[in-house]
Every structure is written in C-alpha cells, then in structure tokens.
Amino acid sequence: MSIYVGNLSYQVTEEDLKQAFAEYGKVNRVQLPTDRETGRPRGFAFVEMESDTQEQAAIDALDGAEWMGRDLKVNKAKPREERSSSPRGSWGGGNARSNNNRY
C-alpha cells in the first residue's frame, strides 16, 4: 500500500516527509514527483511505510492537518491507471478509409 499526500508546500523535501511520517512508523520510501520543465515539486507525494497499520495511523493523524502553511490531504493512494498507447487527442477522427469518396 502507498499513501497519497496532497496540497504540499512547494518547498517540501523528501527528508521533510520522511521526518513527518516517521512519527507513525518506519518509512520505506518517499516519492516526490517534480515538474519536467521547472524541476519544482508538483505539490504531492507518495509515502510507503512498513505496515498497513502504520500507514493508517499516519493517514488518521495527518489528513487535514496544517503543515508548512498548508492543509494536507492524506489518504490511501489509488492504483495508477493504465495509459493507452494511442496519443492524446488523435487527429482526423479515425481510419482514413472511412471517408469512402463521398463526392
């Protein structure tokens, strides 16, 4: 299981998150996604802890708590959705043969 942590300050570091969540148990991993263009944190993170019990204790304690000037959103992370291999917003609306010479 993994914990989603949202509404984070853009100044937060992985070390800050490790320290905050260590109060509730052993932190196995922290993932702090950054923007590809700016390199700045995106305002959310994922935290993995040693057990579900520890993760639930952290969720119960930290969801809605004020931290670094922000009200945190903390809950169980949802599984990542599969992305299709087709590009977003494809052009042309379908197969080229579907136009069948309408003249």
Side-chain angles (χ1 to χ4, degrees):
M1 182 171 92
S2 186
I3 300 171
Y4 167 83
V5 186
N7 200 32
L8 288 171
S9 165
Y10 293 116
Q11 282 73 44
V12 75
T13 66
E14 286 185 19
E15 191 57 38
D16 293 332
L17 286 164
K18 284 178 187 175
Q19 289 177 4
F21 279 80
E23 257 185 75
Y24 307 98
K26 183 176 185 286
V27 176
N28 290 338
R29 183 174 143 184
V30 173
Q31 203 175 356
L32 187 61
T34 55
D35 184 271
R36 288 182 199 159
E37 293 180 20
T38 65
R40 186 174 94 164
R42 295 177 61 194
F44 66 93
F46 296 97
V47 177
E48 292 177 13
M49 298 183 75
E50 192 167 64
S51 73
D52 291 346
T53 305
Q54 293 172 0
E55 288 183 351
Q56 191 59 54
I59 291 168
D60 293 343
L62 297 174
D63 187 37
E66 190 273 329
W67 189 55
M68 297 180 86
R70 309 289 294 261
D71 292 334
L72 296 179
K73 175 138 179 79
V74 183
N75 53 42
K76 290 183 182 182
K78 296 176 183 161
R80 188 173 189 169
E81 291 182 10
E82 287 281 328
R83 291 187 180 185
S84 66
S85 59
S86 63
R88 290 189 218 166
S90 62
W91 294 84
N95 187 336
R97 293 182 192 197
S98 66
N99 292 332
N100 291 339
N101 298 330
R102 295 182 189 162
Y103 299 103

Coordinates of all heavy atoms in Angstrom, one line a residue, residues 1-5 8 12-23 25-34 41 43-50 55 58 62 67:
M1 N 0.8 -1.2 0.0 CA 0.0 0.0 0.0 C 0.9 1.2 0.0 O 2.0 1.2 0.5 CB -0.9 0.0 1.2 CG -1.9 1.2 1.3 SD -3.1 1.1 2.5 CE -2.3 1.9 3.9
S2 N 0.3 2.3 -0.5 CA 1.0 3.6 -0.5 C 0.1 4.7 -0.1 O -1.1 4.6 -0.2 CB 1.5 3.8 -2.0 OG 2.3 4.9 -2.0
I3 N 0.7 5.7 0.4 CA -0.1 6.9 0.9 C 0.1 8.0 -0.1 O 1.2 8.3 -0.5 CB 0.4 7.3 2.3 CG1 0.2 6.2 3.3 CG2 -0.4 8.6 2.7 CD1 0.9 6.6 4.6
Y4 N -1.1 8.7 -0.5 CA -1.0 9.9 -1.3 C -1.0 11.0 -0.3 O -1.8 11.1 0.6 CB -2.2 9.9 -2.2 CG -2.4 11.3 -2.8 CD1 -1.7 11.7 -4.0 CD2 -3.3 12.2 -2.3 CE1 -1.9 12.9 -4.5 CE2 -3.5 13.5 -2.8 CZ -2.8 13.8 -4.0 OH -3.0 15.0 -4.5
V5 N -0.1 12.0 -0.5 CA -0.1 13.2 0.3 C -0.2 14.4 -0.6 O 0.7 14.6 -1.5 CB 1.3 13.3 1.1 CG1 1.2 14.5 2.0 CG2 1.6 12.0 1.8
L8 N 0.8 19.8 -0.8 CA 2.1 20.1 -0.1 C 2.6 21.4 -0.5 O 2.4 21.9 -1.7 CB 3.1 19.0 -0.5 CG 2.9 17.6 0.0 CD1 3.8 16.7 -0.6 CD2 3.1 17.6 1.5
V12 N 8.7 21.7 0.2 CA 8.9 20.4 1.0 C 9.9 19.6 0.3 O 10.1 19.6 -1.0 CB 7.5 19.7 1.1 CG1 7.1 19.0 -0.2 CG2 7.6 18.6 2.2
T13 N 10.7 18.8 1.1 CA 11.7 17.9 0.5 C 11.3 16.5 1.0 O 10.5 16.3 1.9 CB 13.1 18.2 1.1 OG1 13.1 18.0 2.5 CG2 13.5 19.7 0.8
E14 N 12.0 15.5 0.3 CA 11.8 14.1 0.7 C 12.1 13.9 2.2 O 11.5 13.2 2.9 CB 12.6 13.2 -0.2 CG 12.0 13.0 -1.6 CD 12.8 12.0 -2.4 OE1 13.5 11.1 -1.8 OE2 12.6 12.1 -3.6
E15 N 13.2 14.6 2.6 CA 13.6 14.4 4.0 C 12.5 15.0 5.0 O 12.3 14.4 6.0 CB 15.0 15.1 4.2 CG 15.6 14.8 5.6 CD 15.8 13.4 5.8 OE1 16.2 12.6 4.9 OE2 15.6 12.9 7.0
D16 N 11.9 16.1 4.6 CA 10.8 16.7 5.4 C 9.7 15.6 5.6 O 9.2 15.4 6.7 CB 10.2 17.9 4.8 CG 11.2 19.1 4.7 OD1 12.0 19.2 5.6 OD2 11.0 19.9 3.8
L17 N 9.3 15.0 4.5 CA 8.3 14.0 4.5 C 8.7 12.8 5.4 O 7.9 12.3 6.2 CB 7.9 13.6 3.1 CG 7.1 14.6 2.3 CD1 7.1 14.3 0.9 CD2 5.7 14.7 2.9
K18 N 9.9 12.3 5.2 CA 10.4 11.2 6.0 C 10.3 11.5 7.5 O 9.8 10.6 8.3 CB 11.8 10.8 5.6 CG 12.0 10.1 4.3 CD 13.4 9.8 4.0 CE 13.6 9.3 2.6 NZ 15.0 9.1 2.2
Q19 N 10.7 12.7 7.9 CA 10.7 13.0 9.3 C 9.2 13.1 9.8 O 8.9 12.6 10.9 CB 11.4 14.4 9.5 CG 12.9 14.2 9.4 CD 13.6 15.6 9.5 OE1 13.0 16.6 9.8 NE2 14.9 15.6 9.3
A20 N 8.3 13.7 9.0 CA 6.9 13.9 9.4 C 6.3 12.5 9.6 O 5.5 12.3 10.6 CB 6.2 14.7 8.4
F21 N 6.5 11.6 8.7 CA 5.8 10.3 8.7 C 6.5 9.3 9.6 O 5.9 8.3 10.1 CB 5.7 9.7 7.3 CG 4.5 10.3 6.5 CD1 4.6 11.6 5.9 CD2 3.3 9.7 6.5 CE1 3.6 12.1 5.3 CE2 2.2 10.2 5.8 CZ 2.4 11.5 5.2
A22 N 7.8 9.5 10.0 CA 8.5 8.6 10.9 C 7.9 8.6 12.3 O 8.0 7.6 13.0 CB 10.0 9.1 11.0
E23 N 7.1 9.6 12.6 CA 6.4 9.6 13.9 C 5.4 8.5 14.0 O 5.0 8.1 15.1 CB 5.6 10.9 14.0 CG 6.2 11.9 14.9 CD 5.3 13.1 15.1 OE1 4.3 13.0 15.8 OE2 5.6 14.2 14.5
G25 N 5.8 5.4 12.2 CA 6.4 4.1 11.9 C 7.5 4.3 11.0 O 8.0 5.4 10.7
K26 N 8.0 3.2 10.5 CA 9.2 3.1 9.6 C 8.8 3.5 8.2 O 7.9 2.9 7.6 CB 9.8 1.8 9.6 CG 11.1 1.7 8.8 CD 11.8 0.3 8.9 CE 13.1 0.3 8.2 NZ 13.0 0.2 6.7
V27 N 9.4 4.5 7.6 CA 9.2 5.0 6.2 C 10.1 4.2 5.3 O 11.3 4.3 5.5 CB 9.4 6.5 6.1 CG1 9.2 6.9 4.7 CG2 8.5 7.3 7.0
N28 N 9.5 3.4 4.4 CA 10.3 2.7 3.4 C 10.7 3.5 2.2 O 11.8 3.3 1.7 CB 9.6 1.4 3.0 CG 9.4 0.4 4.0 OD1 10.2 0.3 5.0 ND2 8.4 -0.5 3.9
R29 N 9.9 4.4 1.8 CA 10.1 5.1 0.6 C 9.3 6.4 0.5 O 8.1 6.4 0.9 CB 9.8 4.2 -0.6 CG 10.1 4.8 -2.0 CD 9.9 3.7 -3.0 NE 9.3 4.4 -4.2 CZ 8.9 3.8 -5.3 NH1 9.0 2.5 -5.4 NH2 8.4 4.5 -6.3
V30 N 9.9 7.4 -0.1 CA 9.1 8.6 -0.4 C 9.4 9.0 -1.8 O 10.5 9.0 -2.3 CB 9.6 9.8 0.5 CG1 9.0 11.1 0.1 CG2 9.3 9.5 2.0
Q31 N 8.3 9.3 -2.5 CA 8.4 9.7 -3.9 C 7.8 11.1 -4.0 O 6.6 11.3 -3.7 CB 7.6 8.7 -4.8 CG 8.0 8.6 -6.2 CD 7.2 7.5 -6.9 OE1 6.4 6.7 -6.3 NE2 7.4 7.3 -8.1
L32 N 8.6 12.0 -4.5 CA 8.2 13.4 -4.6 C 8.3 13.8 -6.0 O 9.3 14.3 -6.5 CB 9.0 14.3 -3.7 CG 8.6 15.8 -3.5 CD1 7.3 15.9 -2.9 CD2 9.7 16.5 -2.6
P33 N 7.2 13.6 -6.8 CA 7.3 14.0 -8.3 C 7.6 15.5 -8.5 O 7.1 16.3 -7.8 CB 5.9 13.6 -8.8 CG 5.3 12.7 -7.8 CD 5.9 13.1 -6.5
T34 N 8.4 15.7 -9.6 CA 8.7 17.1 -9.9 C 8.3 17.4 -11.3 O 8.1 16.5 -12.2 CB 10.2 17.3 -9.8 OG1 10.9 16.4 -10.6 CG2 10.7 17.2 -8.4
P41 N 8.9 20.7 -7.3 CA 7.9 19.7 -6.8 C 6.5 20.1 -7.3 O 6.1 21.2 -7.4 CB 8.0 19.8 -5.3 CG 9.3 20.3 -5.0 CD 9.6 21.2 -6.2
G43 N 3.6 19.4 -5.8 CA 2.6 19.6 -4.7 C 2.0 18.4 -4.1 O 1.0 18.5 -3.4
F44 N 2.5 17.2 -4.5 CA 2.0 16.0 -3.9 C 3.1 15.0 -3.8 O 4.2 15.2 -4.4 CB 0.8 15.4 -4.7 CG 1.2 14.9 -6.1 CD1 1.5 13.6 -6.3 CD2 1.1 15.8 -7.2 CE1 1.8 13.2 -7.6 CE2 1.4 15.4 -8.5 CZ 1.8 14.1 -8.7
A45 N 2.9 13.9 -3.1 CA 3.9 12.9 -2.9 C 3.3 11.6 -2.6 O 2.1 11.5 -2.3 CB 4.9 13.3 -1.7
F46 N 4.1 10.5 -2.6 CA 3.6 9.2 -2.2 C 4.6 8.7 -1.1 O 5.8 8.8 -1.3 CB 3.6 8.2 -3.4 CG 2.6 8.6 -4.4 CD1 3.1 9.4 -5.5 CD2 1.3 8.3 -4.3 CE1 2.2 9.8 -6.5 CE2 0.4 8.7 -5.3 CZ 0.8 9.4 -6.4
V47 N 4.1 8.1 -0.1 CA 4.9 7.6 1.0 C 4.5 6.2 1.3 O 3.3 5.8 1.3 CB 4.6 8.4 2.3 CG1 5.4 7.8 3.5 CG2 5.0 9.9 2.1
E48 N 5.5 5.3 1.3 CA 5.3 3.9 1.7 C 5.9 3.6 3.0 O 7.1 4.0 3.3 CB 6.0 3.0 0.6 CG 5.3 3.1 -0.7 CD 6.0 2.2 -1.8 OE1 6.8 1.4 -1.4 OE2 5.7 2.5 -3.0
M49 N 5.1 2.9 3.9 CA 5.6 2.6 5.2 C 5.7 1.1 5.4 O 5.2 0.4 4.5 CB 4.7 3.3 6.2 CG 4.7 4.8 6.1 SD 3.7 5.7 7.3 CE 4.8 5.5 8.8
E50 N 6.2 0.7 6.5 CA 6.5 -0.7 6.7 C 5.2 -1.6 6.8 O 5.2 -2.7 6.4 CB 7.3 -0.9 8.0 CG 7.9 -2.3 8.1 CD 9.0 -2.3 9.2 OE1 8.6 -2.1 10.4 OE2 10.1 -2.6 8.8
E55 N 0.7 2.9 8.2 CA 0.2 3.9 7.2 C -1.2 4.4 7.6 O -1.5 5.6 7.4 CB 0.1 3.2 5.8 CG 1.4 2.9 5.2 CD 1.4 2.3 3.8 OE1 0.3 1.9 3.4 OE2 2.5 2.2 3.2
A58 N -0.8 7.1 10.2 CA -0.3 8.4 9.6 C -1.5 9.1 8.9 O -1.7 10.3 9.0 CB 0.8 8.1 8.6
L62 N -2.7 12.7 10.0 CA -2.3 13.8 9.2 C -3.3 14.4 8.2 O -3.1 15.5 7.7 CB -1.0 13.4 8.4 CG 0.2 13.1 9.3 CD1 1.4 12.6 8.5 CD2 0.6 14.4 10.1
W67 N 0.4 21.8 7.9 CA 1.8 21.6 7.9 C 2.5 22.4 6.8 O 2.1 22.5 5.7 CB 2.1 20.1 7.5 CG 3.5 19.6 7.7 CD1 4.2 19.7 8.8 CD2 4.3 19.0 6.7 NE1 5.5 19.2 8.6 CE2 5.5 18.7 7.3 CE3 4.1 18.5 5.4 CZ2 6.6 18.1 6.7 CZ3 5.1 17.9 4.8 CH2 6.4 17.7 5.4

